[in-house]
Amino acid sequence: MTLEPSSIGNVRPIKIEEEMRSSYLDYAMSVIVQRALPDIRDGLKPVQRRILYAMQDMGATPGSQYRKSARIVGEVMGKYHPHGDAPIYDTMVRLAQPFTMRYRLVDGQGNFGSIDNDPPAAMRYTEARLAQVAMELLADIDRNTVNFTANFDETLQEPLVLPARLPNLLANGASGIAVGMATNIPPHNLSELCDAIALLIDNGEASMEDLFEIVKGPDFPTGGVAFRYESVRVPGLDGQGPTTERRDAIRTAHADGKGRVVCRARSSIEETSKGRAYIVVHELPYQTNKAALIEKIADLVRGKKIEGIADLRDESDRHGMRVVIELKREAQPGAVLNALYKHTAMQSTFAVNMLALVDGQPRTVSLKKILDSYINHRREVIRRRSEFDLEKTRERAHILEGLLRAIDMLDEVIKTIRGADSAEDAKAKLIARPFELTDRQAQAVLDMQLRRLAKLERTKIQDEYKELIEQINYLEDLLANPRKIDFLIRDDAMDLKDKFGDDRRTVILDQEPEGFSEEDLVAHQEVVVSIS
């Protein structure tokens, strides 16, 4: 049957390769911008931002009672994030895990999983509220500091970015897999970041070398040891073979936005009174599954790839991690430890790939670029906050000017109001001569309570007006001097350091981990060699 042209309607021929290319690009950009990559300003992905905003909006703030996780997930899904409940809950769980986040943004109550990769309890069993440090991300959001946009069904407004008093992107890091790109930013120590922000405020021309003097390297929530240097093979010159070069891996990763950092577990060797030795593991590299590590060691012992281990047990408790590896009497602890580093995740590599959204575009960024972007964002936030406060203060001062003028002419005001035919007539007469009040001032005089006419109340109005004039002068001066806004950013950073700053958990060692040879895995013991 042949279709008449009129019956085809809006059907139009499209080449399938063109449609695939167009649709896939739309999908890829959606994943990159709306799902997988964090914004360089607040360090959050859209779903994380929506969770924090929704929790504040529903009153699940520090000091309030915990709210059921299912209710929080429903709030986020119904208002801002129309996707599955499982991804929203998984994101909230990660924000609450102390071994995932360097500075937890959600304060969870109940089973939120463990470092052994135990799954969290179902959302109907757990409860949560915002952690205190999360309030620094949301500070001043109600003072026109950031732009809002309509939610998915255009019934509500949601923030495009948070005011972010906390330098969250570097403090907590980020990881995500988009289409054709991925990000993996390590967490850092907040005290070091605040000092680095202060340095850039005082000296905008500070170099990467100056920053490296303050920011020593990644600071993982699980602690462990990170090595600054690594050995890399480089091609030889003039036809010679490849040579080994020593490179500062941490500086390279932070300067280029890409690199690799070798991390190790932190362990100690203990001896019993009977002469037996133990290797005790206290901290593991970031994102290492403790249960899987213990199982891997057991498999290696059974397969005789590692020898000298007599027993293996996990003595971890709420006070900290303690994995005990009991050695055989003849075993050499150093040789066993080297074998564990070579064959297990007790030594692993963190691949740094600092990719973030800059003006809505994915960019590989350096440590300095992230800090500069954060400072520029805070400048914009403080400027908008000051303009908002200035407008509100001027409005209040304007009202108080009218009240003070009315109190000075009190008898005439009372006589005028009593002689008026209606409230509208009274308002019109107050606007006219001799009072010459504005519409808002006249309304305020009509709404004024009689007790405000007492002498003490009049003094309070005068004192408040004087304070408002001082506030207006301060805000006008602040907006006229960008350098003073910079000093406010520095003060905020020092305040954050005092409130939330802590000691570094990850130890940075300069010496590089040597490559393991067969000799490293052989026990050191005295032998007798006889030749006949």
Side-chain angles (χ1 to χ4, degrees), residues 495-507:
D495 184 48
L496 276 175
K497 181 180 176 181
D498 292 339
K499 287 167 68 175
F500 304 108
D502 54 3
D503 295 331
R504 169 172 277 281
R505 297 182 190 176
T506 300
V507 176

Side-chain angles (χ1 to χ4, degrees), residues 273-322:
S273 56
K274 296 180 181 179
R276 299 289 288 270
Y278 297 88
I279 296 173
V280 181
V281 181
H282 306 286
E283 296 173 357
L284 291 175
Y286 186 47
Q287 294 175 330
T288 297
N289 183 334
K290 175 161 63 71
L293 172 69
I294 293 172
E295 189 175 335
K296 173 71 172 175
I297 295 172
D299 289 341
L300 290 170
V301 172
R302 281 193 293 268
K304 300 192 183 301
K305 285 194 174 180
I306 296 181
E307 296 184 350
I309 295 177
D311 193 19
L312 179 65
R313 56 185 178 273
D314 186 0
E315 297 180 358
S316 305
D317 57 18
R318 60 192 178 90
H319 298 295
M321 184 185 298
R322 183 179 168 87

Side-chain angles (χ1 to χ4, degrees), residues 75-319:
E75 187 89 356
V76 175
M77 185 166 59
K79 289 184 174 180
Y80 309 112
H81 198 71
H83 303 284
D85 56 352
I88 298 173
Y89 184 52
D90 288 346
T91 301
M92 195 178 83
V93 164
R94 286 180 58 82
L95 294 177
Q97 291 175 332
F99 51 88
T100 299
M101 303 293 289
R102 183 62 178 84
Y103 301 94
R104 287 190 304 160
L105 300 179
V106 171
D107 175 13
Q109 182 169 266
N111 173 19
F112 275 81
S114 75
I115 200 168
D116 291 324
N117 209 28
D118 296 320
M123 68 179 82
R124 61 182 177 274
Y125 298 121
T126 61
E127 297 176 332
R129 64 186 180 191
L130 288 174
Q132 189 64 51
V133 72
M135 299 307 292
E136 302 296 337
L137 285 170
L138 294 154
D140 303 322
I141 197 169
D142 56 347
R143 292 159 76 179
N144 193 35
T145 50
V146 292
N147 290 331
F148 280 69
T149 186
N151 68 337
F152 63 92
D153 61 359
E154 298 186 349
T155 57
L156 295 167
Q157 295 283 305
E158 62 172 313
L160 286 169
V161 67
L162 296 187
R165 194 165 173 252
L166 175 81
N168 183 61
L169 183 60
L170 286 169
N172 276 318
S175 63
I177 300 173
V179 177
M181 59 186 70
T183 185
N184 202 27
I185 303 173
H188 294 76
N189 184 272
L190 182 60
S191 297
E192 294 177 1
L193 294 176
C194 291
D195 288 337
I197 290 166
L199 172 69
L200 287 173
I201 292 293
D202 294 334
N203 177 17
E205 301 301 317
S207 65
M208 290 291 292
E209 291 300 318
D210 297 326
L211 290 174
F212 290 143
E213 292 298 318
I214 297 173
V215 182
K216 304 299 182 186
D219 189 24
F220 300 110
T222 51
V225 177
F227 291 96
R228 179 170 296 283
Y229 294 99
E230 67 171 346
S231 295
V232 292
R233 303 276 284 175
V234 294
L237 299 175
D238 300 328
Q240 296 179 352
T243 59
T244 301
E245 188 178 278
R246 197 164 180 255
R247 185 176 67 183
D248 191 329
I250 291 178
R251 293 195 180 195
T252 300
H254 283 87
D256 299 343
K258 286 187 176 183
R260 55 195 293 276
V261 178
V262 177
C263 304
R264 268 189 188 176
R266 195 186 298 189
S267 59
S268 62
I269 297 173
E270 300 177 4
E271 289 192 7
T272 65
S273 56
K274 296 180 181 179
R276 299 289 288 270
Y278 297 88
I279 296 173
V280 181
V281 181
H282 306 286
E283 296 173 357
L284 291 175
Y286 186 47
Q287 294 175 330
T288 297
N289 183 334
K290 175 161 63 71
L293 172 69
I294 293 172
E295 189 175 335
K296 173 71 172 175
I297 295 172
D299 289 341
L300 290 170
V301 172
R302 281 193 293 268
K304 300 192 183 301
K305 285 194 174 180
I306 296 181
E307 296 184 350
I309 295 177
D311 193 19
L312 179 65
R313 56 185 178 273
D314 186 0
E315 297 180 358
S316 305
D317 57 18
R318 60 192 178 90
H319 298 295

Side-chain angles (χ1 to χ4, degrees), residues 58 65-74 92 122-128:
M58 65 189 291
Q65 67 178 29
Y66 290 91
R67 306 296 177 91
K68 279 288 185 186
S69 297
R71 182 180 170 192
I72 296 170
V73 169
M92 195 178 83
M123 68 179 82
R124 61 182 177 274
Y125 298 121
T126 61
E127 297 176 332

Side-chain angles (χ1 to χ4, degrees), residues 185 315 325 338 428 521:
I185 303 173
E315 297 180 358
I325 302 168
N338 278 340
L521 308 181

Side-chain angles (χ1 to χ4, degrees), residues 328-400:
K328 295 177 181 177
R329 195 176 299 277
E330 70 278 5
Q332 291 292 326
V336 175
L337 201 51
N338 278 340
L340 289 170
Y341 289 146
K342 180 176 182 180
H343 295 295
T344 72
M346 280 180 61
Q347 177 171 308
S348 57
T349 301
F350 186 92
V352 178
N353 188 21
M354 300 205 292
L355 193 74
L357 293 175
V358 183
D359 297 327
Q361 300 293 321
R363 295 281 183 268
T364 299
V365 288
S366 65
L367 173 72
K368 189 171 189 296
K369 172 64 176 175
I370 295 175
L371 291 173
D372 284 339
S373 297
Y374 166 78
I375 290 171
N376 288 333
H377 176 56
R378 289 300 299 167
R379 284 175 179 144
E380 177 73 6
V381 165
I382 292 175
R383 182 188 64 78
R384 292 179 58 160
R385 182 185 73 191
S386 301
E387 289 173 349
F388 176 84
D389 290 346
L390 182 60
E391 184 182 349
K392 292 292 183 184
T393 307
R394 282 174 174 164
E395 288 176 2
R396 179 62 181 163
H398 180 68
I399 297 296
L400 293 184

